[in-house]
């Protein structure tokens, strides 16, 4: 499969490595408005690939060369500087999506292509990319809260002394400050979280849950403070999403996708079944009244931000 990555900064470069390491692409095309950076990334990645898979990796300086791509990953645009929120990037990155998406669409097969959006503020960028591309919503997929859910599972795994693989626990709503932890549907090996805690005599009181929420919400800020940007976590999320699509795995991932029509339409993360044709079904997990209210609030924030564009 031919996969294009647009934007070869910290995130795009890490995504390129992670996608190459899936072994699922026969060709990876890299485009950045900074051609020197894209060429250097292609060169470096090509050397790494010599130790793993035979992949053709090329940097290109025009969009015609992305023809034949079945997946286009958009990781271009401004990132958060220390202290900035994702929403602070709204107008700058809307201009980036406005620049990139029409050029992509002029060169790909609109009946088949899947766009994977990584650029922040993620959910609004998904809405904008869908609007510009006119693709079915099911094929304009944002990584959404895949990363936030991974952060939650990692913290819970340590707290509960169990593998992340055995934890089903989701962060839903905005990939941003209003995201919501769906404690009501969390389960460990098929056992609901509260029952798991009783059986293993592990205490997870409300105060601990609040601390976990705080750590999940602030993970990106902490990483940006420490290393200037985040890239490894999101690269893992994109590679996992690519695997799910290419192999038609139909796993449940908390990706962001436009739901609804007209003024009420909003893109946000819910558990969704993802396969080769994109998102094939959206699911609604068990939620407390408080969680439902938080999700509605998150949805209103995303829509309001989109309406300012
Ligand atoms: P960066 O500044 O390191 O790189 C951005 C790259 O985009 C640069 O190479 C730049 O030349 C390129 N670019 C900008 N405008 C372009 C255009 N119109 N066409 C082609 N290329 C263009 O930033 P980064 O750290 O790699 O972050 C990229 C984006 O990913 C940011 O918006 C960041 O917030 C986002 N991000 C998302 C998640 C997530 O979970 N969705 C996680 C981390 C970062």
């Amino acid at each position: 499969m031919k996969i294009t990555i647009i934007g070869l900064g910290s995130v795009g470069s890490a995504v390129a490595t992670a996608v190459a390491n899936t072994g699922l692409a026969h060709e990876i095309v890299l485009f950045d408005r900074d051609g020197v950076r894209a060429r250097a990334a292609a060169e470096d990645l090509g050397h790494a690939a010599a130790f793993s898979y035979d992949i053709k990796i090329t940097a290109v300086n025009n969009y015609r060369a992305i023809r034949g791509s079945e997946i286009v990953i958009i990781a271009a645009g401004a990132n958060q500087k220390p202290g900035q929120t994702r929403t602070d990037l709204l107008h700058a990155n809307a201009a980036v999506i406005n620049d990139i998406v029409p050029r992509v669409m002029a060169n790909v097969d609109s009946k088949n292509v899947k766009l994977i959006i990584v650029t922040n503020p993620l959910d609004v960028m998904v809405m904008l990319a869908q609007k510009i591309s006119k693709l079915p919503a099911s094929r304009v997929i944002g990584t959404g809260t895949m990363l936030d859910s991974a952060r939650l599972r990692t913290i819970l795994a340590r707290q509960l002394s169990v593998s992340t693989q055995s934890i089903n626990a989701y962060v839903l709503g905005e990939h941003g400050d209003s995201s919501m932890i769906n404690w009501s549907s969390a389960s460990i090996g098929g056992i609901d979280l509260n029952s798991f805690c009783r059986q293993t005599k592990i205490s997870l009181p409300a105060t601990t849950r609040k601390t976990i929420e705080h750590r999940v919400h602030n993970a990106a800020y902490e990483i940006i403070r420490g290393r200037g940007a985040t890239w490894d976590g999101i690269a893992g999320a994109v590679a996992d999403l690519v695997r799910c699509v290419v192999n038609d795995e139909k796993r449940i991932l908390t990706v962001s996708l436009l739901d609804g029509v007209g003024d009420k339409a909003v893109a946000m993360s819910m558990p969704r079944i993802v396969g080769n044709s994109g998102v094939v079904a959206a699911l609604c997990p068990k939620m407390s009244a408080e969680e439902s209210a938080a999700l509605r609030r998150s949805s209103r924030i995303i829509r309001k931000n989109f309406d300012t564009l």
Side-chain angles (χ1 to χ4, degrees), residues 9-11 32-33 37 75 77-79 93 99 118 120 175 230 234:
S10 311
V11 171
D32 194 289
R33 68 174 177 196
R37 179 178 269 194
N79 60 11
N93 284 348
D99 170 43
V118 180
N120 276 320
H175 170 61
T230 75
I234 182 60

Side-chain angles (χ1 to χ4, degrees), residues 6-13 31-35 37-38 63 74-81 86 89 92-93 95-100 103 117-122 125 142-148 151 175 220 224 228-231 233-235 237-238:
I6 300 179
L8 271 303
S10 311
V11 171
S13 303
F31 178 88
D32 194 289
R33 68 174 177 196
D34 179 345
R37 179 178 269 194
Y63 277 85
I74 302 180
N79 60 11
Q80 291 165 263
K81 306 294 174 279
R86 295 174 182 90
L89 310 171
N93 284 348
V96 171
I97 296 294
N98 269 311
D99 170 43
I100 293 172
R103 297 173 199 242
I117 310 297
V118 180
T119 305
N120 276 320
L122 190 277
M125 296 303 116
T143 47
T145 56
M146 280 183 76
L147 179 53
D148 314 63
R151 286 170 176 157
H175 170 61
I224 290 167
T230 75
W231 56 83
I234 182 60
V238 175

Side-chain angles (χ1 to χ4, degrees), residues 208-223:
T208 309
R209 293 183 194 216
K210 277 275 163 253
T211 307
I212 293 174
E213 283 177 17
H214 181 80
R215 286 179 61 195
V216 170
H217 281 134
N218 285 286
Y221 294 108
E222 291 296 327
I223 297 167

